[in-house]
Amino acid sequence: MSTKPLILGIESSCDDTSLAIIKGHQILANVVSNQKVHAEFGGVVPELASRAHQQNIVPAFEVALKRSGIKKEELNAIAYTRGPGLMGSLLVGSSFAKGLSISLGIPLIEVHHMKAHILAHMIDDNESTPNFPFICLTVSGGHTQLIVVKSPTDMEIVGETIDDAAGEAFDKAAKMMGLPYPGGPLIDKLAKEGKIGTHPFNVGTMDGYNFSFSGFKTSVLYYLRDQIEKDPNFIEKNKEDLCASIQDSILGALFKKLEKLVEETGIKDVAIAGGVSANSELRARLAAKREEGWNTHIPKFEYCTDNAAMIAMAGFFSYEAEKYGELAAAPQARMPF
Amino acid sequence: MPTASIEVSHLSELPQLAKEVIDLAKPAKILLFKGDLGSGKTTLIKNICNFLNVNEEVTSPTFSLVNQYENKEGEKIYHFDLYRLESLEEALDIGFEEYLDSGNWCLIEWPEIAEELIDGDHLIVEIKVVGEQRIVNISKQN
């Protein structure tokens, strides 16, 4: 009987410090540093970014070991996010990963953050796992990508945003309505009470599979300004309908390209990834596609937002392929896919 | 008093505006961009990067805080968006001062929260939405 490798995943590309331990495809611990970790260690809640990562990373590692019930000497490899992300933040995770790899004498594995979001689908406690090849729509506050995934190590971006990410379009439209930032989740909630198609917002059409949301933002700006001129209480009176229209416009733009890609490639396994996967209407519209023969996949929410479980999962595939990283490899703020 | 005030009525005028902004900025390489959501800050910066010979896709750094590009001449261009930051400490935490002192191009959207850290020569570009036009006020600071 072959034993499944134990891999530590380290994610520090943006705001959250996260460490996870995976055994094969099974997550033993997935720690995302927030007040809870600090509560366990009686510390304070720090500010965001690199100096915060420095404070979080060692406690998060201790908690991950404790929760998984393994000793660090049992680890087989260390996988870390090499990029893309914020340089100062990436440096903390990569330095920690390299130090640990040297001291334990085990391989180091470089992971591409955006590829890991997709491979999060391969973790075994998700509701379903896509079959290769599949299409993945990654939507978050920072990214909007359409990817054809042929295997864990062979994937191709066929379309992406040329300006704002879809999650950002949600947040900024909410802000223009006077909702708190980030207001994406609030739009989702209010839209449930509203009617779609009541307010016109334009999302520019792009060639091929790319997306653009900056024109949409301007369209919301003009529309709200002109309506408020006529009625100062316009937003308050139409809040729900406005949210429904904003959401419908953004999701409409995403689905148009997704449908086109499914049609042109004939691939029926369709997955979503990234923080916007939490949007209930996006989930509902995707689920409805099952009627048309799509096999749809939505990961567990904890694997949608930034997390180290997905880094550990991606690390597993590289480990199996014996694709190891080098100590000299510098983090990359912008990393080729 | 702004150094220049330019009216823009169409996206097609942005390449020319980008050139004028860079000409006015020289030799300073730090540029601040102010204006409401949807006024076109990122879109103008796309045009400026294009003028500076950046071949990569220039996207919004609201989430990432800073994007880094490199042009054909090998110059580094940092594209910031401080919109998500809530305090000066957070700007210091991302190493904002190190970027400013790097001598590379720094194109900064929503600079207000960290403006006191910017004391060298720089250019302020303010975009006002008037009807469907933009009034772009540019002022040199030193």
Side-chain angles (χ1 to χ4, degrees), chain A residues 4 14 43 66 117 136 138 196 200 208 212 233 237 240 248-249 276 278 283 291 299 301 313 337:
Chain A
K4 290 173 181 161
C14 198
K66 204 168 97 186
H117 266 300
C136 188
T138 308
I196 60 169
S212 167
N233 297 320
K237 285 184 194 159
E240 290 81 7
D248 181 56
S249 303
V276 181
R283 288 171 170 248
E291 310 257 315
F301 182 67
M313 185 72 255
F337 195 75

Side-chain angles (χ1 to χ4, degrees), chain B residues 119-132:
Chain B
D119 52 7
D121 286 0
H122 61 278
L123 200 72
I124 297 180
V125 180
E126 220 166 347
I127 307 176
K128 287 207 174 87
V129 181
V130 180
E132 304 215 340

Side-chain angles (χ1 to χ4, degrees), chain A residues 162 168 172 222 225 334, chain B residues 46 57 60 62 68 131 134:
Chain A
I162 63 152
E168 187 179 344
K172 291 196 169 166
Y222 288 167
R225 181 195 61 192
R334 272 170 93 89
Chain B
K46 257 179 180 291
E57 195 69 74
S60 165
T62 302
Q68 184 182 322
R134 302 291 186 274

Side-chain angles (χ1 to χ4, degrees), chain B residues 1-2 20-21 23 28 30 37 62-63 78 95 103 117 134:
Chain B
M1 277 296 285
E20 288 173 48
V21 168
D23 284 346
I30 297 173
L37 283 174
T62 302
F63 184 78
Y78 298 120
L117 298 174
R134 302 291 186 274

Side-chain angles (χ1 to χ4, degrees), chain A residues 137-153:
Chain A
L137 171 68
T138 308
V139 269
S140 68
H143 297 278
T144 306
Q145 295 181 330
L146 262 178
I147 298 137
V148 174
V149 188
K150 292 171 201 142
S151 79
T153 50

Side-chain angles (χ1 to χ4, degrees), chain B:
Chain B
M1 277 296 285
T3 314
S5 189
I6 298 166
E7 222 178 88
V8 181
S9 351
H10 197 263
L11 283 172
S12 62
E13 297 164 31
L14 289 180
Q16 177 60 27
L17 175 63
K19 181 186 180 303
E20 288 173 48
V21 168
I22 292 300
D23 284 346
L24 282 169
K26 280 175 183 169
K29 292 172 103 176
I30 297 173
L31 289 81
L32 316 190
F33 295 83
K34 301 180 181 182
D36 287 340
L37 283 174
S39 60
K41 296 180 294 299
T42 307
T43 307
L44 175 57
I45 290 176
K46 257 179 180 291
N47 281 272
I48 289 176
C49 287
N50 194 29
F51 177 72
L52 292 174
N53 284 330
V54 172
N55 269 330
E56 305 164 66
E57 195 69 74
V58 172
T59 55
S60 165
T62 302
F63 184 78
S64 60
L65 302 176
V66 53
N67 289 345
Q68 184 182 322
Y69 319 116
E70 210 172 288
N71 66 8
K72 271 192 231 149
E73 292 78 28
E75 286 182 303
K76 283 197 176 91
I77 291 131
Y78 298 120
H79 177 191
F80 285 89
D81 187 336
L82 308 186
Y83 187 75
R84 293 198 302 133
L85 299 190
E86 287 172 0
S87 68
L88 192 64
E89 285 71 44
E90 292 185 345
L92 294 169
D93 275 356
I94 64 163
F96 188 60
E97 288 174 303
E98 283 101 289
Y99 286 104
L100 291 176
D101 293 340
S102 67
N104 295 315
W105 289 98
C106 289
L107 312 176
I108 308 161
E109 300 186 46
W110 298 100
E112 289 82 355
I113 201 146
E115 213 164 339
E116 63 190 86
L117 298 174
I118 304 160
D119 52 7
D121 286 0
H122 61 278
L123 200 72
I124 297 180
V125 180
E126 220 166 347
I127 307 176
K128 287 207 174 87
V129 181
V130 180
E132 304 215 340
Q133 292 190 318
R134 302 291 186 274
I135 307 291
V136 182
N137 289 322
I138 305 170
S139 38
K140 274 179 107 88
Q141 307 285 322
N142 34 31

